[in-house]
Amino acid sequence: MSALDPRVARQAAEWFVLLQDPDAAPAEHDACAHWRASHADHEAAWQRALWVSQRVGQLPAAVAVPVLGRRQLARRDVLKSMVLASGGATLAVLGYREGADHHWLADYRTGTGEHARHTLSDGSQLHLDTASAADVRYDAACRRVRLLRGELLVEVATDVAGRPFVVESAAGCAQAPSGRFSLREEGVGSRLTVFEGRVQVRTRSGGQPSLDVNAGEQLLFGETWLGAPTPADPRRDAWTRGVLHVDGMRLDAFAVELQRYRAGVLTCDAAVAALTLSGSYQLANTTPILDSLPGLLPVRVRYRTRYWVSLLPA
Amino acid sequence: MSGVTVSLSPSAESSASRDVGALYRSHHGWLHGWLRTRLGNACEAADLAQDTFLRVLLATASAERPLRLEQVREPRAYLVTVARRVLCNHYRRQSLERAWLQALALVPEAEHPSPEQQLLLVEALHEVDALLEGLAPRVREAFLLAQLEGLGYAEIALRLQVCERSVKRYVAQALAHCMLAAP
């Protein structure tokens, strides 16, 4: 990146601090937009501020704060979230490493807790789940979507020109002339779930022959390996309707899943980790979901802060 | 700093790499000794001496302001300046790795993230740690609480026992620092 004027960097940082405050007024957002638009250097500095914030913000907080702050780790909750880091939070780090450089410039993106649906030029639908980003490139030969982070689902319209529809990720690509499938970054690889049609999957390295995955199947694959297709939960796409559907899911896994839609840290005590729950949960606001848990399971929910929540034995 | 590819323009290549080569031949042994007395370890000293010369080579290849070695009057003083930065970076990495291992030691082994995940996580921590280098502890703390734990400024002010305006100043200062430190 080119040299940044320290004064402009400081201005951008001050705008950022101002707007990060949830109480920032609309007029302040407008003023910041005006500042950004008034000079190319301002916009470049702003993008750099977002880049830094993204870089820092995607680390698993409960581990990163004490480690980066060189603080003594003692509290039990910190440990629990370290355990979670092996599931959810690390994955965010892995995902962001792949996509961070382009993420803020991505064609389509969502913040934590958001989901979005876009109609592409050929009529295909692109859904983005929480904290996701994707680029779309259509040309004469191919319709190409690149997943930069998070999860996406495409409803592929049949193309009059017969162009294939290809979704790429860090691990490889999934291709189909039509159908409905999702791709999710899971750190160690990408998870493909096919809801309609048949999708051909190929690793990035190209070392393996491609594999066809049928409707109702899912498969995890990495840059150099392909997992075996297994049956998929047909309601795995519920997030496109703003719903999380679970069927006998362990509470610790549920916490990891819910964490994707929440800012801050959500931890689950080992004593209650193996409890299971089923049902459909509205994702628009995850706090009522947490608050409903004590009515369903022998657990209590402790809010240390709004951003630090622990699920503990009742 | 392994895995770095340095590409030099054809004309610069011959003279710059020749100069670095000459610098290496004349002073490598001396620099290795200098580092060894500080580290008390010959192997680490050898690694960091390599890193130091690699930095010099990268500096001669800089697109914006290439270093011109023939203008360096005191090569050893210059090498020590670069080596001090390399040492500093080395100690920072060591201290971060210690903090990480401390954190890891408190978790039952069966629940450790996989080695691959650990590697990526530690690398991501290193990257951010390098950006934060040089910030006062309080400024660093305020920034981490705001960016990572998502705490509001009022809450951070309470924790750090300073006023809210100071917190905003700290966070802005830290953010600008990281923006300027970013590669």
Side-chain angles (χ1 to χ4, degrees):
Chain A
M1 284 188 232
S2 65
L4 190 62
D5 180 342
R7 271 177 321 157
V8 177
R10 185 58 193 246
Q11 286 168 2
E14 278 164 9
W15 278 116
F16 190 88
V17 167
L18 190 68
L19 298 193
Q20 202 176 34
D21 194 331
D23 298 331
E28 290 173 323
H29 285 274
D30 291 347
C32 176
H34 179 77
W35 177 81
R36 284 167 55 190
S38 65
H39 198 290
D41 288 353
H42 294 180
E43 179 60 25
W46 179 255
Q47 291 299 330
R48 182 83 67 99
L50 294 179
W51 180 86
V52 169
S53 163
Q54 183 70 18
R55 210 81 172 164
V56 177
Q58 295 256 354
L59 292 169
V63 179
V65 172
V67 169
L68 291 173
R70 305 293 197 277
R71 274 204 258 119
Q72 280 294 320
L73 279 157
R75 284 185 307 209
R76 195 174 155 71
D77 289 317
V78 172
L79 316 184
K80 282 301 144 201
S81 49
M82 162 85 87
V83 175
L84 276 185
S86 66
T90 315
L91 306 188
V93 172
L94 304 175
Y96 108 97
R97 288 183 63 80
E98 178 58 29
D101 292 338
H102 322 287
H103 167 64
W104 286 100
L105 302 169
D107 297 342
Y108 300 98
R109 61 172 184 263
T110 52
T112 300
E114 295 174 351
H115 68 97
R117 172 198 183 126
H118 302 279
T119 302
L120 304 178
S121 60
D122 62 336
S124 293
Q125 302 286 317
L126 171 67
H127 298 262
L128 283 183
D129 198 5
T130 176
S132 301
D135 279 337
V136 174
R137 295 284 173 272
Y138 277 22
D139 59 33
C142 189
R143 300 174 286 170
R144 203 175 285 277
V145 173
R146 179 150 171 77
L147 175 63
L148 300 172
R149 62 189 294 246
E151 176 164 9
L152 62 72
L153 180 146
V154 286
E155 296 172 39
V156 181
T158 308
D159 188 42
V160 282
R163 292 173 299 176
F165 195 102
V166 180
V167 180
E168 293 178 349
S169 73
C173 66
Q175 172 176 343
S178 67
R180 194 159 156 274
F181 60 96
S182 69
L183 203 64
R184 168 167 164 167
E185 282 296 346
E186 295 197 356
V188 291
S190 301
R191 182 174 300 278
L192 169 71
T193 307
V194 182
F195 301 97
E196 288 168 29
R198 173 188 288 203
V199 179
Q200 189 182 61
V201 57
R202 254 198 314 270
T203 62
R204 178 166 292 274
S205 70
Q208 288 74 27
S210 65
L211 187 72
D212 284 344
V213 182
N214 296 311
E217 291 180 337
Q218 59 172 340
L219 157 148
L220 188 66
F221 66 107
E223 231 174 292
T224 55
W225 50 274
L226 284 169
T230 54
D233 179 348
R235 283 167 296 193
R236 196 43 207 80
D237 63 348
W239 60 265
T240 59
R241 299 180 294 280
V243 173
L244 172 64
H245 183 86
V246 298
D247 193 4
M249 186 182 257
R250 277 170 62 105
L251 190 59
D252 53 356
F254 185 73
V256 169
E257 196 59 29
L258 221 50
Q259 169 83 81
R260 298 173 60 230
Y261 297 90
R262 284 180 69 85
V265 185
L266 174 60
T267 67
C268 177
D269 192 281
V272 293
L275 296 173
T276 60
L277 75 170
S278 301
S280 295
Y281 300 88
Q282 291 292 331
L283 287 167
N285 183 355
T286 52
T287 302
I289 302 179
L290 291 172
D291 293 342
S292 73
L293 290 176
L296 302 168
L297 298 169
V299 298
R300 73 192 158 92
V301 183
R302 187 176 69 196
Y303 289 86
R304 175 163 285 127
T305 74
R306 185 154 54 102
Y307 295 103
W308 191 323
V309 186
S310 313
L311 304 178
L312 302 167
Chain B
M1 289 186 85
S2 56
V4 178
T5 316
V6 187
S7 56
L8 299 162
S9 68
S11 59
E13 183 161 15
S14 49
S15 75
S17 60
R18 212 171 37 238
D19 289 349
V20 177
L23 189 74
Y24 187 94
R25 279 189 297 280
S26 317
H27 305 294
H28 176 265
W30 174 82
L31 181 69
H32 181 252
W34 187 88
L35 283 163
R36 200 180 47 220
T37 49
R38 270 148 195 86
L39 290 160
N41 177 331
C43 288
E44 272 181 1
D47 282 350
L48 297 196
Q50 287 305 122
D51 275 3
T52 305
F53 281 102
L54 181 57
R55 284 200 183 199
V56 174
L57 186 63
L58 284 167
T60 62
S62 156
E64 281 175 27
R65 268 189 310 140
L67 165 76
R68 298 174 65 93
L69 275 179
E70 68 273 18
Q71 291 173 353
V72 174
R73 293 222 186 127
E74 297 290 341
R76 289 191 175 178
Y78 172 73
L79 282 174
V80 164
T81 309
V82 179
R84 282 217 172 92
R85 279 205 295 274
V86 169
L87 260 183
C88 196
N89 190 38
H90 172 72
Y91 288 133
R92 185 183 58 68
R93 284 190 80 99
Q94 272 193 336
S95 110
L96 184 102
E97 268 152 31
R98 265 200 304 277
W100 163 257
L101 289 174
Q102 244 174 25
L104 201 63
L106 294 169
V107 178
E109 206 168 314
E111 292 171 345
H112 283 185
S114 75
E116 190 205 9
Q117 287 174 329
Q118 284 191 39
L119 195 71
L120 287 162
L121 191 53
V122 170
E123 266 319 301
L125 286 166
H126 273 310
E127 269 180 48
V128 172
D129 201 40
L131 296 181
L132 296 171
E133 166 125 58
L135 283 174
R138 181 165 288 236
V139 173
R140 180 188 269 249
E141 182 88 7
F143 182 63
L144 292 175
L145 290 175
Q147 296 304 312
L148 277 165
E149 290 199 6
L151 296 187
Y153 300 131
E155 199 163 350
I156 298 172
L158 267 178
R159 279 210 199 179
L160 299 185
Q161 297 286 298
V162 295
C163 67
E164 207 176 314
R165 256 193 34 214
S166 298
V167 172
K168 289 185 180 172
R169 205 178 59 237
Y170 290 162
V171 177
Q173 184 191 338
L175 180 57
H177 177 94
C178 292
M179 289 162 68
L180 294 166

